[in-house]
Amino acid sequence: MEILDAVWLIPALPLAGFLTLLIAGRKLGDPFAGWLATSAIGGAFVATVVVFGRLLNMGEEERRHITTLFTWVPAGGFSVDVAFLVDPLSITMALFVTGIGTLIHLYSIGYMHGDERFSKFFVYLNLFAFSMLMLVLADNFLLSFLGWEGVGACSYFLISFWFTRESAAVAGKKAFVTNRIGDFGFMIAMFLLFASVGTLDYWGTASVANGSIGVFEQAERLSTYTASAVVLLLFLGAAGKSAQLPLYLWLPDAMEGPTPVSALIHAATMVTAGVFLLVRCAPLLEQADPNVTLFIAGVGALTALFAATVACAQDDIKKVLAYSTVSQLGYMVLAVGSGAYVAAIFHMVTHAFFKALLFLGAGSVIHGLHDEQDMKRMGSLRKWMPITWATFLVGWLAISGVPPFSGFWSKDEVLAGAFDKSPALWAIGVLVALLTAYYMSRQVFLVFYGHERWRQPAAGADPADAADPADAADQGHTAHGSAEPHESPWVMTLPLIALAGLAAVGGMLNLPLFKATLFLEHWLEPSLGEVEHHVLATGTKIALAIVATIAALAGVGLAYVTWYRKKPAENANLEPDILKKAWTYDAAIAAFVGGPGRAAAAWSAFTVDKGVIDGAVNGVATLVRQGGGQLRKVQTGYVRNYALGLAAGVVLLLAWTLVRVGL
Amino acid sequence: MTVDGSWYLILAAVLFSIGAIGLLIRRNVLVMFMCVELMLNAVNLTFVTFARMLDDIGGQVVVFFVLVVAAAEVVVGLGIIVSIFRRRTGDQGTTADDLHLLKG
Amino acid sequence: MTAALLPLLAVATKVDLGVFLVCAAIVLTGAFGVVFLRNPVHSALSLVMTLFGVAVLFVAQEAHFLAAVQVIVYSGAIVVLFLFVIMLLGVDREEAVEVEGLKGQRPLAFGVGALMLLLVLLLARANDWATGQTGARGLASGPGENVEKLGRSIFTDFLLPFEVTAVLLVIAVVGAVVLARRPPQLRDEGDDQ
């Protein structure tokens, strides 16, 4: 039996875990439910590695295999199967989803210990894993959309996990609604594609006897106009999922969820789904108008810049990382728009490593400080939490783009691609790199260095703030009885160490030094179809790399000067209010939806729906009734009126006869 | 000038229309009935005229039968009128318009 | 005999004309009387006048038997019946002819009636008044009495209709008796022990 056909195990194991925990989770309890969930996804990881190994051994041309389970929608001319596309891109995604997912599941056992809804958390996590894997492994748009919606739903569940807190419930709703707007774009794109090419499969199963043709094989047949429209609509979907302007606003609020959720969903996996979709549809992007891809790259760059500026002024440890995620996603979208698909995937992988690491580290800090999230009230934690500190440093250097860590290599690829598309975009990218290094260094200095500000009582703070009853993760801490920070248990630090290792050496995936080391690029080639490769001169590349490194070091230096040396209170003017409020974007959206949005909805509901449509329907009924009422008047009850009617009828007959016969 | 058959036909037509108008205008049931008789007479006159113009005895035979049937009809019609209006006084209504009170 | 009548023919046509005109006047006057007189008894008498006029016109058209039957049956029996019922029911009160209860009935009635007249006349004139086969059921003119010819036609060509009308008359009589009968009286209490 072909090993690749066992690919169905990859999503099936988390699904089994989900179902088991759904039924018996509460009985299994803390921590056994967690171990069950972790082993489910761990098993999926093993299966992915096996499939990966098999794929590696196959020749380059054969690295696309479709395993069909059953026909999902047999509707005459339109047929959609539940089938998995095993090719380099999907397996790459599956690898890091399951890999990082396993680490985060493990971490969550420690983090969520003591929570009263412990097993429910793992139910949702496993469901999420299943959905995400369906998304990346699907062989057609509709099945991917199933996974797409699934991860959106799980994101909602997990963000509002502590739903007794109003802000968490609201954040969950915000995420869901914003995602929905993106989903609308995805759906319309699917309709357009089906209308143009008659199928929703990515690649056809040409090896099968009836030889169906997929979308990408027919990409060249699409008109530029259609392809551009589809790409723009798909980008709308990606903008929703991957938090680009204007639909990014759910991601910072999503930090209301537990930190493992932020790490898994909002750093490594779900938010990358949008970028994955765009890379998957590379043949379509190639077919579209070049201005469209320029637009996509521009949005990516702008998002990156926007988010980076906002991150510089945030005090919450997780909010900084959230905006950082938006910014890095902007980088990935910039790469996709520039046609550097490999760079986008490369950065996605390295970002998954170091961002998950940073989030888990932040979670460790929060856990250690008994749910303190304000960086201004942290400090000098390197003494108290050495492992967290060390791993966090690795993540910091990686994201800042300091060689030889992984972030440097991937960011460099992205910037090279951007330079090829437009030097202006490259310049924005470099500015973002500088800002990234700055705010991450600021974070490191505030949290791990400086004075022990957590010893000081908060000036004018409410005692009730410190003991937020909705923080269920706090329950485990009261047992400690200690007010001093402590290192996290091994279930939490082990994943940190693993991810630190990956973040450090991840650059080896695609070193641009020699042809042979460009492993990822060769590996992903078959998945991307016929795309142009933009090759820059080596000299240009080295120059760009140097400029990027200088920017990174400059950012670190800037932060060193402002944050390491001085007290935080002296730097108030570096954090203007407008940046804290994300350029008042949230308020603007609220005003727009509340005002014109609501007015448009009211117009739609009352004028159009009630007035026109209901009016038309009711109007027919009214017409009939009134017509009947008028006709009823013929029945007067008077014999003489009826006689008159008879006489009139006779006259009409005579007249007709006269007309027929002729005068 | 000889009296043409068409003159009789015109006369009959006028008689018929007078009868029709009378039927529509009068409210007294019996007068309405009399107007019906006028119309029947007009028809009779027409048939007899045709009998002469076409030299056909069949026209007169038809008139014969019309007379018989008219007689029968008058009998039955008056019987109905009697049975409807027998006990009504002036207040209850004795005109054709009051038949609408029967409602159905 | 016919030759002797020839000189009379010239006079006869003039007589014909005069008879027609006089009778037409009688007929129309009677008709207007039926329609426009207030008292129903007066209307009935006007009807008699019309019937006489029509009878004379029958004679002028050489339908002698029918003229006789018209006078005897129509004005002699039917109109008398009308008068009986008028007296029986007491509907001889004068009707307010000026007032018209139903809206638009009067003008519409006049209009429809006038239109009907006009259309009929137009139709008839366009089709040469009388068309069709002559003498389909036997000749009206020629030797022999009118009664004889009529009788012969009825009892040979029209025998079945004749019988049917006989039945019809019986039915009419029975129906009239049933309709005009008073409802059965209720029995008195304590009548039968």
Side-chain angles (χ1 to χ4, degrees):
Chain A
M1 192 180 100
E2 173 66 68
I3 294 182
L4 291 184
D5 283 330
V7 69
W8 66 271
L9 270 176
I10 303 178
L13 285 168
L15 181 65
F18 159 69
L19 289 168
T20 315
L21 287 172
L22 190 65
I23 299 167
R26 203 180 287 254
K27 265 186 289 221
L28 292 170
D30 173 356
F32 192 59
W35 284 107
L36 182 71
T38 310
S39 47
I41 194 166
F45 177 65
V46 169
T48 315
V49 170
V50 168
V51 173
F52 172 69
R54 179 83 187 92
L55 210 60
L56 210 56
N57 284 335
M58 291 166 87
E60 265 200 37
E61 297 76 40
E62 298 168 359
R63 284 183 191 158
R64 180 186 305 153
H65 181 87
I66 296 178
T67 309
T68 310
L69 286 185
F70 56 91
T71 307
W72 184 24
V73 182
F78 173 61
S79 173
V80 173
D81 298 338
V82 171
F84 300 116
L85 174 65
V86 179
D87 81 341
L89 180 61
S90 60
I91 291 300
T92 311
M93 297 290 298
L95 269 175
F96 83 78
V97 166
T98 49
I100 296 182
T102 311
L103 291 172
I104 292 179
H105 274 72
L106 185 65
Y107 180 92
S108 305
I109 299 175
Y111 192 83
M112 298 303 288
H113 171 71
D115 193 304
E116 58 178 1
R117 291 167 70 226
F118 182 86
S119 52
K120 211 34 165 302
F121 187 76
F122 288 97
V123 166
Y124 292 143
L125 270 189
N126 262 10
L127 181 63
F128 170 82
F130 165 72
S131 303
M132 189 72 200
L133 288 167
M134 287 305 279
L135 201 166
V136 300
L137 287 173
D139 101 311
N140 58 68
F141 278 95
L142 196 61
L143 198 59
S144 272
F145 191 61
L146 174 81
W148 185 273
E149 296 281 323
V151 297
C154 290
S155 170
Y156 164 72
F157 290 138
L158 287 163
I159 290 172
S160 51
F161 188 70
W162 292 319
F163 53 79
T164 47
R165 196 161 58 198
E166 165 114 29
S167 48
V170 168
K173 276 186 287 183
K174 191 173 179 179
F176 198 78
V177 171
T178 317
N179 259 247
R180 210 81 192 104
I181 299 174
D183 294 349
F184 172 72
F186 193 134
M187 278 195 280
I188 304 290
M190 275 201 292
F191 299 156
L192 261 179
L193 274 176
F194 181 67
S196 324
V197 295
T199 177
L200 286 178
D201 296 339
Y202 292 138
W203 299 99
T205 50
S207 55
V208 181
N210 59 354
S212 62
I213 309 278
V215 170
F216 300 139
E217 278 130 346
Q218 300 180 66
E220 269 142 49
R221 278 179 38 205
L222 288 171
S223 70
T224 313
Y225 184 63
T226 315
S228 305
V230 170
V231 166
L232 277 173
L233 286 164
L234 286 174
F235 180 60
L236 180 64
K241 263 298 181 276
S242 296
Q244 299 300 297
L245 285 172
L247 296 173
Y248 84 93
L249 66 163
W250 63 272
L251 191 51
D253 285 15
M255 297 300 115
E256 293 283 343
T259 312
V261 170
S262 308
L264 180 63
I265 298 184
H266 306 127
T269 45
M270 184 182 107
V271 292
T272 55
V275 180
F276 162 74
L277 183 72
L278 287 173
V279 172
R280 175 59 92 199
C281 297
L284 289 176
L285 265 82
E286 292 294 305
Q287 191 65 15
D289 193 303
N291 287 325
V292 169
T293 45
L294 183 65
F295 171 72
I296 293 176
V299 170
L302 203 61
T303 308
L305 183 62
F306 178 90
T309 53
V310 175
C312 296
Q314 297 300 313
D315 286 337
D316 186 315
I317 192 173
K318 282 173 72 174
K319 282 272 192 335
V320 174
L321 295 174
Y323 281 107
S324 169
T325 307
V326 176
S327 183
Q328 298 301 308
L329 287 168
Y331 261 136
M332 291 181 225
V333 171
L334 170 64
V336 166
S338 310
Y341 304 109
V342 176
I345 299 292
F346 189 20
H347 197 61
M348 187 195 292
V349 175
T350 59
H351 174 262
F353 294 152
F354 57 69
K355 192 44 69 62
L357 170 62
L358 288 168
F359 263 112
L360 293 184
S364 179
V365 166
I366 294 169
H367 180 91
L369 276 177
H370 310 284
D371 303 311
E372 176 62 68
Q373 288 187 235
D374 186 349
M375 293 195 294
K376 297 280 168 66
R377 293 173 44 72
M378 299 178 188
S380 191
L381 284 176
R382 71 178 187 284
K383 288 184 251 173
W384 302 92
M385 306 172 74
I387 303 179
T388 309
W389 167 72
T391 52
F392 204 90
L393 277 188
V394 175
W396 163 58
L397 290 171
I399 194 175
S400 302
V402 174
F405 293 94
S406 58
F408 165 71
W409 303 106
S410 62
K411 201 176 283 198
D412 197 49
E413 285 282 325
V414 171
L415 289 173
F419 185 79
D420 194 50
K421 185 80 172 180
S422 152
L425 290 174
W426 171 82
I428 296 177
V430 172
L431 179 60
V432 173
L434 194 152
L435 287 172
T436 308
Y438 167 73
Y439 66 69
M440 285 311 298
S441 313
R442 168 178 176 265
Q443 181 169 50
V444 168
F445 294 140
L446 276 175
V447 173
F448 293 105
Y449 294 89
H451 304 287
E452 293 175 351
R453 290 184 298 280
W454 40 268
R455 285 207 194 271
Q456 301 157 11
D462 233 347
D465 271 353
D468 196 338
D471 279 330
D474 199 9
Q475 288 175 12
H477 289 262
T478 50
H480 295 221
S482 150
E484 287 177 345
H486 59 87
E487 186 57 88
S488 303
W490 73 270
V491 279
M492 289 170 74
T493 51
L494 184 63
L496 287 177
I497 295 169
L499 284 169
L502 285 170
V505 304
M508 294 208 305
L509 274 177
N510 204 34
L511 291 173
L513 303 173
F514 308 104
K515 260 304 204 200
T517 53
L518 281 171
F519 171 70
L520 193 66
E521 189 163 323
H522 285 141
W523 170 245
L524 284 177
E525 236 166 65
S527 293
L528 300 172
E530 302 291 319
V531 297
E532 292 175 42
H533 291 281
H534 309 269
V535 183
L536 294 172
T538 323
T540 323
K541 275 191 140 173
I542 297 179
L544 294 176
I546 294 175
V547 172
T549 316
I550 293 173
L553 293 172
V556 174
L558 206 61
Y560 181 81
V561 165
T562 48
W563 296 100
Y564 190 72
R565 293 293 178 139
K566 304 190 213 168
K567 283 210 180 71
E570 299 167 31
N571 287 328
N573 60 336
L574 275 177
E575 300 172 356
D577 225 23
I578 192 171
L579 284 183
K580 272 206 225 271
K581 291 202 185 9
W583 302 90
T584 65
Y585 187 76
D586 266 320
I589 292 277
F592 174 68
V593 173
R598 181 170 285 184
W603 178 80
S604 223
F606 295 118
T607 312
V608 176
D609 190 34
K610 214 158 146 192
V612 174
I613 297 176
D614 273 356
V617 172
N618 291 348
V620 171
T622 313
L623 197 70
V624 170
R625 201 180 52 203
Q626 281 178 349
Q630 293 300 318
L631 279 174
R632 185 178 56 80
K633 290 184 186 161
V634 174
Q635 304 291 322
T636 56
Y638 291 116
V639 176
R640 294 198 291 138
N641 284 144
Y642 300 156
L644 186 60
L646 273 172
V650 168
V651 166
L652 281 170
L653 275 172
L654 284 172
W656 185 73
T657 313
L658 194 60
V659 165
R660 285 294 300 263
V661 167
L663 247 72
Chain B
M1 171 193 334
T2 48
V3 177
D4 207 10
S6 59
W7 292 28
Y8 288 96
L9 290 175
I10 295 169
L11 176 63
V14 172
L15 186 60
F16 186 88
S17 56
I18 292 173
I21 291 171
L23 181 62
L24 295 171
I25 288 180
R26 295 300 296 259
R27 284 196 294 275
N28 190 316
V29 188
L30 287 153
V31 175
M32 287 167 82
F33 222 130
M34 285 186 235
C35 295
V36 172
E37 296 309 315
L38 273 182
M39 287 197 275
L40 282 169
N41 268 282
V43 167
N44 285 349
L45 186 57
T46 310
F47 270 118
V48 167
T49 310
F50 281 143
R52 192 171 73 115
M53 285 168 87
L54 295 174
D55 200 11
D56 191 343
I57 199 68
Q60 296 189 11
V61 172
V62 172
V63 173
F64 177 83
F65 285 123
V66 169
L67 266 163
V68 170
V69 175
E73 169 226 338
V74 163
V75 161
V76 175
L78 288 175
I80 292 171
I81 290 168
V82 162
S83 61
I84 290 175
F85 289 102
R86 183 194 285 272
R87 288 229 199 86
R88 287 166 180 268
T89 60
D91 293 357
Q92 284 174 341
T94 51
T95 64
D97 280 353
D98 300 320
L99 280 173
H100 90 280
L101 294 169
L102 289 173
K103 289 230 191 303
Chain C
M1 182 76 160
T2 329
L5 286 167
L6 274 171
L8 286 170
L9 270 172
V11 182
T13 52
K14 291 231 170 33
V15 173
D16 254 347
L17 180 63
V19 165
F20 176 78
L21 286 173
V22 170
C23 289
I26 293 172
V27 165
L28 288 175
T29 311
F32 280 120
V34 169
V35 173
F36 291 114
L37 285 172
R38 271 184 254 170
N39 195 324
V41 177
H42 297 166
S43 295
L45 294 172
S46 302
L47 183 64
V48 173
M49 191 160 89
T50 306
L51 293 172
F52 268 132
V54 170
V56 175
L57 285 172
F58 281 175
V59 172
Q61 307 250 38
E62 319 218 344
H64 309 294
F65 175 72
L66 286 173
V69 170
Q70 169 96 344
V71 173
I72 295 168
V73 172
Y74 235 124
S75 54
I78 290 174
V79 176
V80 171
L81 200 57
F82 267 109
L83 284 166
F84 276 172
V85 175
I86 289 171
M87 291 304 147
L88 176 67
L89 290 183
V91 290
D92 58 333
R93 198 156 329 128
E94 287 191 5
E95 181 189 330
V97 189
E98 309 82 48
V99 179
E100 173 59 69
L102 303 172
K103 264 199 299 221
Q105 177 82 359
R106 202 160 277 194
L108 270 173
F110 278 112
V112 165
L115 249 142
M116 194 162 23
L117 177 63
L118 180 73
L119 285 171
V120 165
L121 288 178
L122 277 173
L123 262 174
R125 197 176 74 108
N127 293 291
D128 301 320
W129 301 109
T131 57
Q133 199 179 4
T134 55
R137 294 285 190 198
L139 293 170
S141 60
E145 290 296 323
N146 177 257
V147 181
E148 188 201 329
K149 290 194 209 106
L150 194 60
R152 194 180 297 280
S153 183
I154 286 174
F155 288 106
T156 53
D157 287 330
F158 293 96
L159 187 58
L160 182 60
F162 174 73
E163 298 296 341
V164 171
T165 46
V167 174
L168 180 67
L169 282 171
V170 171
I171 294 169
V173 168
V174 170
V177 169
V178 168
L179 279 169
R181 189 164 59 129
R182 287 185 187 276
Q185 301 274 354
L186 292 170
R187 285 179 195 251
D188 296 332
E189 272 128 7
D191 198 284
D192 48 0
Q193 296 290 343

